[in-house]
Amino acid sequence: MRAVTILAALVAAPVALCHNDQIPLTPDTLHTVSAADADAPTYRDKLLELHKSLVDIPSITGHESRVGRFLVDYLTERGFTADIQFVTPRSENGKKGEQRFNVIAWPGKTHDPKPKVLVTSHIDVVPPYIEYSISPGSITKDTLIMGRGTNDAKGSVATMVIAVEELMAADKIDDNVMLVFVVDEEVAGLGMKEFSKSLQEHPPKIPQFQAAIFGEPTESKLACGHKGALFCSIEATGIPSHSGYPWLGKSANEIMVRAWAKIQDADLGSSELYGNTTINAGILHGGLAANVVPEKSTVQFAARVAIGPQETGHLIVLERIKKILHEVDPEAFELDCSLGYGSVDCNCDVEGFDKITVNYGTDVPNLKGDFTRYLYGPGSILTAHGRNENVSVGALERAVEDYQKLILHALKQ
């Protein structure tokens, strides 16, 4: 693994956090409002402080370095060894983006960890940045916290850290647990792919672990898996002509509409666990003017693949789409795909957890290896990526307890 021990010069730069005027969460005010809830766990204050600090730092994909530095400082100050792993910067407007890195940490000061369980989530978020806010009044389990990343996935990051801290304090774990917080999950998964690649080095710095716990908003349920994905673009080529004489040309828009209608109505694959494969035309473009028969038409789509196996399930969907395009016009279409994998199964057979399946993609398929995979996190994907992204205090606290259960369960396997 290309991990570099943190140097003081790298992380010493202060992180200027954004302030929120609704309810400033200082140690004093946290203690006061928490006392109103008799069921508040002893770690509530530090959990909410950490969660707020993470959300306050903007970290849209490509700009994760500030929140990464914050995490390194936080973890090293609390008895962890923290390393970084550089990840390729994103290019923006033809220019190389800022330096960024994964954060890798484990309890204690050993430089030769022996992790059996990996605990991981992502520190990047989707745009736009939405500042932190918390419902007014005394803090209870029903109190809502809003802002970008509150559930996807800084809610998971914060609760994972506190869960591991609590297990450390109780002497229930040592360097057999490793935290990995990655960049770029929301775009291409480059952070997890880089970490996965480092595990395949010979010899790897880190031994193969036996289980990995991934953090994403799953409504506080243990996910049995999630749908696969297929991201592609279709280009149709016609023959331009005057719109008054359409028979002299060939409308790329027309054949694209016909093909897309057939794709939408087709059976692209289904399964009992994940339901139907669904498809979304995210971007459509074609033509130059209303009085010109269009020569070009394009569709960029995302399919959520309900069939497996993970390595090849998406190829079945792809072949069905290709067949439809050929039936509509055997010469007009070009299909180009950038990403694909079949449905992703996870272990959900753990006592005390409700079960769920989800339709979104995660970093689970980006981490290669023979290990048990768990997927769990606070909050709902139904509010993630939206203006009202939120998570409740109760969901965060439950996640701390549930991550502890999952870690201890995984260590016994």
Side-chain angles (χ1 to χ4, degrees), residues 46-63:
K46 68 177 181 179
L47 169 62
L48 296 187
E49 283 186 275
L50 174 58
H51 184 246
K52 182 179 188 298
S53 295
L54 292 170
V55 176
D56 272 341
I57 304 172
S59 59
I60 292 168
T61 307
H63 302 274

Side-chain angles (χ1 to χ4, degrees), residues 158-408:
T159 52
M160 285 174 162
V161 170
I162 300 301
V164 172
E165 278 194 65
E166 291 293 299
L167 291 174
M168 287 172 60
D171 291 325
K172 293 183 177 181
I173 61 170
D174 47 37
D175 65 351
N176 55 6
V177 175
M178 174 171 282
L179 292 168
V180 175
F181 299 124
V182 301
V183 301
D184 203 71
E185 188 274 344
E186 294 289 3
V187 175
L190 295 180
M192 184 57 76
K193 289 175 182 176
E194 182 66 26
F195 178 72
S196 181
K197 179 182 176 182
S198 72
L199 298 179
Q200 312 308 317
E201 295 178 356
H202 299 286
K205 181 176 179 179
I206 298 173
Q208 181 64 258
F209 37 82
Q210 61 194 32
I213 301 169
F214 295 82
E216 292 283 356
T218 65
E219 301 177 10
S220 303
K221 300 174 184 178
L222 197 55
C224 298
H226 64 78
K227 285 185 174 180
L230 180 65
F231 287 80
C232 306
S233 64
I234 305 171
E235 181 177 82
T237 300
I239 301 172
S241 70
H242 194 290
S243 64
Y245 304 86
W247 55 87
L248 298 178
K250 180 180 180 180
S251 171
N253 282 350
E254 180 181 334
I255 57 176
M256 180 66 81
V257 168
R258 290 179 178 178
W260 189 255
K262 286 181 176 290
I263 293 170
Q264 287 278 74
D265 293 338
D267 177 6
L268 298 177
S270 62
S271 63
E272 182 176 353
L273 182 59
Y274 298 107
N276 295 324
T277 295
T278 60
I279 193 164
N280 175 65
I283 300 175
L284 301 93
H285 179 76
L288 298 173
N291 60 349
V292 178
V293 172
E295 181 181 16
K296 298 288 185 179
S297 183
T298 60
V299 169
Q300 295 181 30
F301 72 83
R304 300 297 175 175
V305 180
I307 53 177
Q310 179 182 316
E311 293 75 17
T312 59
H314 65 293
L315 299 178
I316 299 172
V317 176
L318 183 59
E319 286 303 312
R320 294 181 182 183
I321 293 173
K322 286 181 177 178
K323 182 179 179 181
I324 292 171
L325 296 177
H326 188 269
E327 290 173 350
V328 172
D329 191 308
E331 300 178 348
F333 295 102
E334 289 188 10
L335 181 62
D336 181 57
C337 299
S338 60
L339 173 68
Y341 54 89
S343 56
V344 178
D345 296 331
C346 296
N347 188 302
C348 58
D349 189 19
V350 180
E351 185 177 354
F353 286 84
D354 293 331
K355 301 177 182 180
I356 193 174
T357 58
V358 295
N359 296 343
Y360 52 81
T362 73
D363 263 332
V364 174
N366 292 329
L367 183 59
K368 309 301 181 183
D370 182 18
F371 52 87
T372 304
R373 305 183 291 190
Y374 302 93
L375 178 60
Y376 172 92
S380 170
I381 197 66
L382 301 182
T383 67
H385 296 200
R387 292 182 298 176
N388 64 334
E389 181 174 351
N390 68 80
V391 68
S392 71
V393 170
L396 292 175
E397 293 171 352
R398 177 176 175 179
V400 172
E401 305 296 327
D402 284 348
Y403 279 132
Q404 291 184 69
K405 293 175 184 176
L406 285 173
I407 291 168
L408 296 176

Side-chain angles (χ1 to χ4, degrees), residues 75-76 78-82 105-109 161 164-165 168 179:
L75 292 166
T76 54
R78 286 160 180 79
F80 289 81
T81 297
W106 55 90
K109 297 302 180 182
V161 170
V164 172
E165 278 194 65
M168 287 172 60
L179 292 168

